Amino acid sequence: MNLARHSISSARPVNILDARFDADTRIFTTSTQEGFAVYRTWPLELVRKRELSDGTLSHVLPLHSTNLLFLVGGGRSPLYPANKVVVWDDALGKEVAELEFKSQVRGLACRRGWLAVALRRRVVVFQVGGGESGSGGIKRYAEWETCDNQKGLLAIATAPKSTLLAIAGRQLGHVQLIHLPPCPEPKSRNPPPNTKPVQSKPGPSTSTGGVHPVKHAAPVIVAHTTALTSLSLTPSGRLIATTSAKGTLVRVWDTATGTRIKELRRGTDKAEIYGVAFRPDEKEVCVWSDKGTIHVFSLAGAANRQSTFSPLTPFLPLPKYFESEWSYAQYRIPVQSSHISLSSTRPAVSSSSLSSAPVVKDTDVPDEERCVVGWVQVATEDNQQPSEGGNSSGAFLEWQLIALTYVGGWYRLALPLSGKDRKRERGGSTVSAGAGTGGSVSGRESLSAGSARRVSGTLGPSPLGGGGGGGSIVHGSPPKAVQMSRRGSSASTVRGAEKGKDREKEREKERESRNCTLQEYRRFGRWDGWG
């Protein structure tokens, strides 16, 4: 029995059924056995909370920062049937609409004006009327067929003028791109200009009634040969990230041309990738999986790590593994469950002989490594908090990560940036220091560390194998080959051992320099949540 990562306690573990950010990562929602709550992402603050005694929810999706929430029942005692999406107005404290389907709801995605619902083999899109209270109503727009989409994968661009919707294609590993009509511009309160309107003639492909989209084949990206496990779009819809059941690679595609622009390697062993999140300015991307680690990649590519053999790939037929780009920063979420691992399993049938009874996984016990991650901008000087306008006087903003675990952890993580990098990033350009030769050193190290490494390289081993980088320098002329003795060879062996230790210390420092820094941690309480 493996109890190395668990502590024995009789307390019932915290079970978060669902946690997700809104489209702008300004707020997030959590669903538990007692109900659901809405929090401000940072600084962490409870916005509102609803206690539900009649059942539980599997999806609580906020429509940006409005009062509308899309709810789907789930768990052992679902509050609603699994084939319904309920529109909840939290300002009124009641349901304002209900959408019913013939099969179970697998996934949801929304933005202003649109709601996309993923079923097992199709995606249905609805137009959400104007007004925060849903006064404009919800109208069915169109639907598209997909492959067997058990995870309910779909993504929608959330920038004001973005129209892209990404869903699973009809074939395994394919992605279908759909351009929705743009959202109507808000009506101006000023009087219209005194100009004669220009009448435009409708084209032959214009759809009738303005309800259904133009009939044309949507572009398809052949992303993977195995089943997709995640889809993620940038807010502008310019880039899309895909992962497959192998869980080793993250591929980034240009949605305009369908070409692959990046292939990022999470690891070499198989893993279940839970999600991918782009930084809103499209400069970095993070990925998290069931390994309990969060990996951060630079889309510019200079900061990412690569194999020392990568410069030889144009000249030698090396495997694609050596061309891969590895994360420049990562963070391992510590296991914090307070229950013994025996509580995660239970006998399928009641039997006097537990050894002969089959064991099934208890669906109410949360996964230790399951989490959701989002990007936030944090004012880093003088602990000043950003105002509603987005910045505060005397402070500059830094991109950080917020990780929410299903066992009740709230983490705020800072990326391994030096002070100079932060200032340059504030000025609009990011300079990655320490992108060493061969790509073997970690990205975004401090300039002083990079300079020290280059200086130590100049003091490297002598032609006869004397002192390593950072080791002692042998003075005087080197001995002749005929004068080499056992004593000299043993001294060389000692120096070689010291050189190996120095290299190991350098590797350890390099690994530490790639770790994200925990800035703030909150523990979910049973009664007050994240208070």
Side-chain angles (χ1 to χ4, degrees):
M1 185 182 301
N2 182 15
L3 300 179
R5 303 186 68 191
H6 298 272
S7 61
I8 300 176
S9 174
S10 60
R12 181 184 174 189
V14 174
N15 186 357
I16 297 176
L17 302 177
D18 181 66
R20 62 187 66 212
F21 295 97
D22 76 315
D24 305 318
T25 325
R26 294 181 180 178
I27 61 173
F28 67 90
T29 58
T30 58
S31 174
T32 62
Q33 300 284 353
E34 289 75 24
F36 68 89
V38 181
Y39 297 87
R40 181 177 289 109
T41 305
W42 188 86
L44 182 61
E45 182 183 356
L46 176 65
V47 178
R48 51 185 177 266
K49 183 178 181 181
R50 290 285 178 179
E51 295 184 359
L52 303 174
S53 58
D54 299 334
T56 55
L57 302 170
S58 63
H59 292 71
V60 181
L61 179 64
L63 180 61
H64 296 276
S65 299
T66 66
N67 297 322
L68 291 184
L69 299 167
F70 301 104
L71 310 180
V72 179
R76 282 193 173 183
S77 57
L79 181 62
Y80 307 109
N83 64 331
K84 287 186 179 181
V85 177
V86 174
V87 184
W88 177 276
D89 190 332
D90 206 60
L92 303 176
K94 65 177 183 179
E95 308 166 7
V96 295
E98 184 180 275
L99 306 174
E100 186 174 358
F101 306 91
K102 294 182 180 179
S103 59
Q104 179 182 350
V105 175
R106 303 279 178 168
L108 297 175
C110 70
R111 57 155 298 165
R112 288 182 178 87
W114 296 102
L115 169 66
V117 181
L119 308 176
R120 177 118 183 214
R121 293 190 177 274
R122 60 194 177 108
V123 171
V124 187
V125 177
F126 297 87
Q127 287 181 318
V128 181
E132 295 187 0
S133 60
S135 58
I138 298 181
K139 299 180 181 179
R140 189 187 186 97
Y141 174 73
E143 66 178 57
W144 290 266
E145 293 183 2
T146 66
C147 63
D148 190 2
N149 187 15
Q150 295 189 19
K151 292 182 175 292
L153 301 179
L154 74 168
I156 190 169
T158 58
K161 295 184 180 180
S162 302
T163 61
L164 188 63
L165 170 68
I167 63 175
R170 296 186 180 183
Q171 298 185 25
L172 198 69
H174 291 192
V175 180
Q176 189 174 358
L177 303 179
I178 301 165
H179 289 278
L180 302 173
C183 297
E185 295 289 338
K187 295 182 179 181
S188 176
R189 297 182 179 181
N190 300 324
N194 189 15
T195 57
K196 186 178 180 179
V198 179
Q199 295 181 357
S200 59
K201 296 181 180 180
S205 62
T206 303
S207 60
T208 59
V211 177
H212 298 286
V214 178
K215 299 294 183 180
H216 63 84
V220 174
I221 296 177
V222 183
H224 301 271
T225 57
T226 55
L228 298 172
T229 55
S230 70
L231 290 177
S232 180
L233 281 169
T234 57
S236 65
R238 189 179 69 89
L239 302 176
I240 183 173
T242 62
T243 60
S244 70
K246 291 183 179 180
T248 56
L249 297 175
V250 180
R251 289 173 177 166
V252 181
W253 308 82
D254 187 339
T255 58
T257 61
T259 58
R260 188 179 70 192
I261 61 176
K262 281 289 181 181
E263 185 171 87
L264 309 172
R265 182 169 291 276
R266 181 211 60 82
T268 56
D269 53 341
K270 186 175 180 179
E272 181 182 357
I273 293 180
Y274 291 140
V276 179
F278 284 99
R279 213 170 86 175
D281 59 2
E282 303 179 4
K283 291 184 179 180
E284 293 181 336
V285 65
C286 67
V287 58
W288 57 98
S289 66
D290 62 348
K291 300 297 183 180
T293 53
I294 302 171
H295 294 269
V296 184
F297 300 86
S298 171
L299 294 181
N304 296 333
R305 296 175 295 128
Q306 285 186 294
S307 170
T308 54
F309 296 100
S310 58
L312 302 178
T313 52
F315 311 102
L316 298 177
L318 297 176
K320 290 186 177 180
Y321 170 85
F322 296 100
E323 300 179 9
S324 300
E325 295 185 28
W326 300 74
S327 61
Y328 81 88
Q330 66 180 22
Y331 183 80
R332 176 172 293 277
I333 298 177
V335 175
Q336 53 182 314
S337 175
S338 60
H339 63 285
I340 192 171
S341 61
L342 290 177
S343 63
S344 62
T345 57
R346 58 182 176 85
V349 294
S350 56
S351 172
S352 57
S353 177
L354 293 180
S355 60
S356 62
V359 176
V360 297
K361 188 175 181 180
D362 195 338
T363 57
D364 281 353
V365 175
D367 191 352
E368 286 286 348
E369 277 77 21
R370 191 162 187 85
C371 65
V372 59
V373 183
W375 293 87
V376 294
Q377 278 189 311
V378 176
T380 56
E381 285 187 359
D382 302 329
N383 295 325
Q384 297 186 19
Q385 299 176 358
S387 60
E388 294 182 359
N391 201 347
S392 54
S393 59
F396 62 87
L397 298 178
E398 172 193 342
W399 287 106
Q400 295 186 356
L401 296 174
I402 299 293
L404 310 173
T405 65
Y406 279 55
V407 291
W410 181 94
Y411 298 84
R412 181 165 63 90
L413 308 174
L415 301 177
L417 294 171
S418 66
K420 294 183 179 180
D421 289 333
R422 288 173 179 167
K423 293 180 181 178
R424 294 180 185 182
E425 189 173 45
R426 177 180 59 171
S429 62
T430 303
V431 178
S432 300
T437 59
S440 59
V441 299
S442 62
R444 298 198 172 194
E445 297 181 43
S446 62
L447 294 176
S448 59
S451 303
R453 182 174 286 105
R454 288 192 294 271
V455 171
S456 65
T458 60
L459 303 178
S462 65
L464 295 180
S472 59
I473 304 176
V474 180
H475 298 277
S477 59
K480 298 181 181 180
V482 295
Q483 296 176 350
M484 292 293 291
S485 61
R486 294 181 181 178
R487 182 178 179 181
S489 61
S490 62
S492 176
T493 304
V494 171
R495 287 194 295 269
E498 292 178 354
K499 177 181 177 182
K501 292 180 180 180
D502 292 340
R503 287 182 176 177
E504 185 62 29
K505 289 180 180 179
E506 273 195 28
R507 293 193 189 99
E508 185 64 28
K509 290 181 180 179
E510 185 180 325
R511 284 192 292 267
E512 292 178 357
S513 67
R514 295 197 302 264
N515 292 333
C516 297
T517 306
L518 179 62
Q519 300 292 313
E520 190 177 358
Y521 168 76
R522 299 289 184 89
R523 176 71 174 171
F524 191 92
R526 186 164 305 282
W527 303 108
D528 57 350
W530 279 303

